[in-house]
Amino acid sequence: MEIDIPDEDLRALCEQQRLAVKKLGKHCARKLHSRLADIVAAAHVRELVAGHPHPLTGDRFGQFALGLHGGVRLVFEPDHEPVPAFSDGGIDWAQVTRITIIFIGDYHD
């Protein structure tokens, strides 16, 4: 899959191991880089298996999360126009091949 990270701080966190370790801790930084490699290797979102991948609901409908370490999640949205969808309005994650990372942290805080 293709990954877009428009936020400069998030991009730095994803690209700079030392910064990720400083901000997230050693274990979480390792998981972040592993999950990013998983995303790049996958053809579409439904191929992701590590990190308890799941679509989000409520005010985060349209987003998808992968667990990193503790309560920290990597959250992304489809980067398609239009977003692949089922007739009922749900996102067809098996058709999502480009994503935008929008958040890394604990969204339960």
Side-chain angles (χ1 to χ4, degrees):
M1 278 190 290
E2 296 176 39
I3 301 174
D4 182 33
I5 312 172
D7 181 276
E8 291 180 25
D9 292 333
L10 285 179
R11 182 179 302 122
L13 196 61
C14 292
E15 293 176 350
Q16 299 174 26
Q17 180 70 15
R18 187 176 297 174
L19 178 63
V21 169
K22 181 179 178 182
K23 297 272 187 179
L24 302 172
K26 180 178 160 184
H27 298 294
C28 194
R30 186 177 329 127
K31 291 288 187 181
L32 171 61
H33 291 282
S34 177
R35 298 292 180 262
L36 291 170
D38 293 343
I39 292 169
V40 170
H44 53 77
V45 172
R46 282 290 176 208
E47 284 190 353
L48 298 171
V49 293
H52 184 64
H54 59 282
L56 300 176
T57 58
D59 62 343
R60 289 198 174 268
F61 177 80
Q63 299 174 354
F64 202 92
L66 299 175
L68 299 179
H69 181 73
V72 178
R73 308 284 188 272
L74 182 150
V75 179
F76 58 84
E77 299 175 328
D79 186 12
H80 291 269
E81 190 59 45
V83 172
F86 295 111
S87 59
D88 68 358
I91 295 174
D92 184 357
W93 292 102
Q95 300 300 315
V96 175
T97 59
R98 293 188 320 269
I99 65 162
T100 299
I101 295 176
I102 59 165
F103 179 77
I104 297 172
D106 186 347
Y107 51 73
H108 296 110
D109 284 342

